[in-house]
């Protein structure tokens, strides 16, 4: 083929793309976004929905009703990865029956080199890295599915919005796949976040949760190095914003400045997610967490003295390679001592490519891991049940997020889930609720008018 015919061919391709683009402008797609994993994934799915809505496409409620499917994936543990692979298999069947179905995949399944994924799952139309909306936009424009560039607001499902403030993680805890999939830390400029929150508040958002794998790293890569405390101060000045939350903190990085800022700003809720992971120093060292149990204990003491109403959540991994019965007992003892409000407990799952996968044998049998997981859950249910029972008869302030089976639900500043029944329209309102019934997981009460 000579050069001029190559050029002619390119022109023909471009014309055909333009033609499809024009045709595409009137195309309304029904889309379905399937999300598993952390809050970051949920926030990113909201954002993808925001782009698709702004382009005129319509959300639908199942795979079978959709022309465009987005899978937002998690592979932090094997169980999550299995669900993702099962769903990809299901979609292959749907695509065989409907070849026009567009399948897009994002989240932590997507690694830097997508070639192998493309070979393994040829029915997927686009793999894009978490948070990489430019790839999504250019792919869709090439296919005549227009998505506007300038839409950057997440879709508001409720009065509460999740705002990613830092992508990636630089920590490389030995068990964790996240840094390999989400890359190094990149903070969003402070002004950009403030502007986004202002726009959301103008659209009725009352509460924001700032997200990052390690929010304590926020800003170190930005000019002037603003930190999370600086961001909280700026956001507090937004008039109609009622509440600010953030997660996840890292025990090795959280600062006194942040704790003092939490204590001083009324809008910042009294809730922290501070993952401890283990109650044994040797295991913490093998996990490469960068702190000791003593340091964690001291930190919690400081936080509780400066923010007395604080509610604390943590994460614990049981059955890390080499974890003996005594080492596990230390995690159990720490749970008893700390009296957390909530715990996310997980059985260790070897993740190919991580340091722990390379260096340690996954030598705690599955049934022992399960037993340890249940022991922590059982103990925690008793502790949370006891903590929550102290709210019986008290009035709490609830920001109402929605309605489920005839009951309004929302959360207290300390992140307790509260349900109440009332004929009024409470969506997005602050309600004072008198607590009548408590459990380890939620509270039920009567609204006070
Ligand atoms: N950045 C946070 C931190 O520092 O703990 C948490 C992020 S991590 C994606 C979420 C939780 O998943 C972790 O706290 C840990 O308990 C769990 N997790 C991560 N990798 C795991 C693995 N290989 N096996 C079991 N649980 C794991
Ligand atoms: Fe994973 Fe550790 Fe980073 Fe959390 S801090 S995302 S556990 S590497």
């Amino acid at each position: 083929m000579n050069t001029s015919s190559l050029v002619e061919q390119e022109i023909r391709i471009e014309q055909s793309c333009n033609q499809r683009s024009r045709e595409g402008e009137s195309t309304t797609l029904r889309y379905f976004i399937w999300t598993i994993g952390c809050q970051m994934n949920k926030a990113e799915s909201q954002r993808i929905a925001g782009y698709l809505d702004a382009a005129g496409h319509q959300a639908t409620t199942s795979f079978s009703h959709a022309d465009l499917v987005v899978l937002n994936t998690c592979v932090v543990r094997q169980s999550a990865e299995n669900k993702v692979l099962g769903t990809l298999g299901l979609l292959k069947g749907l695509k065989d029956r409907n070849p026009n179905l567009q399948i897009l995949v994002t989240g932590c399944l997507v690694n830097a080199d997508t070639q192998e994924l493309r070979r393994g799952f040829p029915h997927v139309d686009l793999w894009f890295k978490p948070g990489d909306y430019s790839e999504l936009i250019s792919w869709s424009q090439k296919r005549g599915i227009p998505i506007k560039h300038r839409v950057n607001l997440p879709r508001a499902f409720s009065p509460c919005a999740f705002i990613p403030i830092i992508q990636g993680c630089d920590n490389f805890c030995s068990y964790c796949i996240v840094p390999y999939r989400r890359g190094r830390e990149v903070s969003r400029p402070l002004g950009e976040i403030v502007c986004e929150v202002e726009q959301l508040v103008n659209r009725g958002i009352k509460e924001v949760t700032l997200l990052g794998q390690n929010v304590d790293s926020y800003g170190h890569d930005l000019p002037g190095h603003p930190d999370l405390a600086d961001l909280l101060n700026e956001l507090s000045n937004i008039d109609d914003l009622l509440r600010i939350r953030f997660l996840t903190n890292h025990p090795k990085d959280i600062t006194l400045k942040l704790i003092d800022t939490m204590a001083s700003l009324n809008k910042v809720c009294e809730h922290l997610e501070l993952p401890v992971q283990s109650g044994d120093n040797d295991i913490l060292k093998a996990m490469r967490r960068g702190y000791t149990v003593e340091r964690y204990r001291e930190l919690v003491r400081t936080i509780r003295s400066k923010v007395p109403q604080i509610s604390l959540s943590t994460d614990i991994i049981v059955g890390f390679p080499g974890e003996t019965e005594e080492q596990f007992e230390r995690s159990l003892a720490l749970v008893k001592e700390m009296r957390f409000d909530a715990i996310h407990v997980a059985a260790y799952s070897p993740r190919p490519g991580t340091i722990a996968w390379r260096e340690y044998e996954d030598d705690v049998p599955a049934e022992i891991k399960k037993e340890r997981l249940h022991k922590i859950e059982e103990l925690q249910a008793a502790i949370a049940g006891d903590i929550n029972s102290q709210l019986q008869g008290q009035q709490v302030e609830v920001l109402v997020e929605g309605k489920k089976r005839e009951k309004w639900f929302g959360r207290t500043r300390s992140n307790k889930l509260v349900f109440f029944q009332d004929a009024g329209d409470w969506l997005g309102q602050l309600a004072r609720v008198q607590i009548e019934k408590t459990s380890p997981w939620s509270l039920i009460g009567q609204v006070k008018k």
Side-chain angles (χ1 to χ4, degrees):
M1 194 182 285
N2 63 29
T3 327
S4 68
S5 62
L6 253 182
V7 171
E8 275 164 24
Q9 194 192 20
E10 276 178 17
I11 290 170
R12 275 202 305 277
I13 290 170
E14 190 165 62
Q15 283 171 342
S16 121
C17 285
N18 289 343
Q19 177 64 30
R20 279 155 65 190
S21 262
R22 279 193 296 277
E23 284 163 9
E25 275 161 28
S26 59
T27 311
T28 299
L29 296 178
R30 287 162 305 169
Y31 71 85
F32 180 63
I33 304 179
W34 180 88
T35 310
I36 59 167
C38 62
Q39 310 284 30
M40 192 65 117
N41 270 15
K42 288 176 196 151
E44 281 160 1
S45 287
Q46 277 190 356
R47 201 159 281 249
I48 293 167
Y51 279 114
L52 296 173
D53 286 346
H57 305 308
Q58 277 173 9
T60 182
T61 50
S62 71
F63 288 127
S64 54
H65 291 116
D67 315 299
L68 172 70
V69 163
V70 183
L71 290 198
N72 198 347
T73 61
C74 170
V75 294
V76 162
R77 289 187 286 277
Q78 189 62 48
S79 52
E81 185 164 345
N82 292 346
K83 273 188 208 154
V84 170
L85 298 178
T87 307
L88 276 167
L90 183 110
L91 287 176
K92 181 169 184 326
L94 279 182
K95 183 118 177 178
D96 287 344
R97 288 197 291 284
N98 171 15
N100 291 328
L101 178 68
Q102 304 288 309
I103 302 172
L104 280 49
V105 181
T106 187
C108 286
L109 180 67
V110 186
N111 49 25
D113 176 12
T114 52
Q115 263 187 12
E116 204 183 318
L117 289 167
R118 275 193 240 128
R119 269 196 302 275
F121 307 96
H123 59 292
V124 171
D125 296 277
L126 177 74
W127 300 91
F128 65 101
K129 289 193 280 307
D132 193 351
Y133 307 115
S134 59
E135 251 182 86
L136 168 69
I137 290 166
S138 64
W139 173 87
S140 100
Q141 278 174 344
K142 274 190 210 137
R143 274 149 195 83
I145 308 169
I147 292 179
K148 289 169 198 158
H149 276 283
R150 278 183 293 280
V151 181
N152 59 359
L153 289 170
R155 185 176 171 190
F157 288 108
S158 82
C160 309
F162 293 116
I163 314 287
I165 61 166
I166 179 167
Q167 291 283 351
C169 184
D170 289 354
N171 278 318
F172 291 92
C173 300
S174 66
Y175 51 83
C176 184
I177 195 148
V178 168
Y180 303 90
R181 298 301 166 89
R182 288 186 172 264
R184 297 300 83 77
E185 288 167 355
V186 181
S187 304
R188 293 178 64 197
L190 189 143
E192 182 185 303
I193 298 168
V194 173
C195 178
E196 179 174 329
V197 174
E198 278 169 350
Q199 291 181 52
L200 285 169
V201 169
N202 287 338
R203 284 172 37 174
I205 290 290
K206 304 272 174 60
E207 174 184 303
V208 290
T209 304
L210 311 176
L211 297 177
Q213 297 300 340
N214 178 5
V215 287
D216 296 305
S217 282
Y218 175 74
H220 72 88
D221 53 335
L222 293 174
H225 312 299
D227 60 17
L228 179 59
D230 299 329
L231 178 59
L232 294 176
N233 272 304
E234 289 290 328
L235 293 176
S236 270
N237 293 330
I238 300 176
D239 278 346
D240 292 328
L241 180 64
L242 303 181
R243 290 175 170 188
I244 309 170
R245 302 178 189 276
F246 48 87
L247 54 100
T248 303
N249 289 89
H250 198 302
K252 80 173 164 56
D253 295 325
I254 188 168
T255 60
L256 258 185
K257 178 183 172 189
L258 180 72
I259 301 166
D260 285 334
T261 304
M262 276 190 92
S264 69
L265 294 176
N266 281 339
K267 293 185 180 181
V268 177
C269 292
E270 296 80 7
H271 177 241
L272 275 182
E273 302 237 345
L274 197 62
V276 65
Q277 307 297 2
S278 170
D280 180 83
N281 281 337
D282 290 335
I283 296 286
L284 285 176
K285 199 165 175 200
M287 286 177 164
R288 298 186 176 219
R289 289 291 290 176
Y291 53 84
T292 60
V293 176
E294 291 72 29
R295 154 88 185 129
Y296 188 89
R297 194 178 275 129
E298 187 53 39
L299 187 55
V300 170
R301 201 172 296 136
T302 306
I303 294 167
R304 285 184 166 151
S305 72
K306 289 184 178 270
V307 190
Q309 301 303 319
I310 196 80
S311 122
L312 276 184
S313 301
T314 202
D315 292 9
I316 290 184
I317 296 178
V318 295
F320 186 81
E323 187 188 63
T324 62
E325 205 50 41
E326 293 73 50
Q327 288 173 318
F328 166 68
E329 289 292 333
R330 284 190 197 111
S331 290
L332 213 52
L334 190 70
V335 169
K336 215 178 270 177
E337 178 192 338
M338 290 288 118
R339 290 179 61 81
F340 296 107
D341 290 78
I343 299 184
H344 311 113
V345 50
Y348 171 72
S349 171
R351 301 286 60 211
T354 59
I355 300 163
W357 172 81
R358 261 199 319 274
E359 296 186 359
Y360 308 122
E361 193 191 336
D362 178 23
D363 56 358
V364 178
E367 61 276 20
I368 303 279
K369 285 182 187 169
K370 210 166 157 186
E371 213 174 89
R372 291 180 184 174
L373 187 139
H374 286 148
K375 276 190 184 166
I376 300 258
E377 282 185 339
E378 217 174 294
L379 172 60
Q380 180 55 27
I383 293 170
D386 186 44
I387 293 175
N388 290 353
S389 71
Q390 290 160 24
L391 289 167
Q392 176 100 24
Q394 302 221 5
Q395 281 191 20
V396 294
E397 180 198 87
V398 176
L399 177 59
V400 181
E401 293 174 36
K403 212 172 188 181
K404 239 185 233 166
R405 285 190 227 104
E406 299 304 306
K407 285 198 180 92
W408 293 106
F409 69 90
R411 282 170 303 148
T412 62
R413 288 174 63 94
S414 57
N415 212 37
K416 308 276 178 200
L417 182 61
V418 179
F419 293 92
F420 66 92
Q421 226 161 354
D422 191 76
D425 181 5
W426 285 95
L427 186 64
Q429 306 297 313
L430 281 179
R432 288 216 69 76
V433 179
Q434 173 111 17
I435 300 303
E436 295 178 336
K437 212 169 153 197
T438 68
S439 83
W441 304 279
S442 62
L443 313 168
I444 301 177
Q446 287 279 346
V447 71
K448 294 278 148 196
K449 293 181 201 165

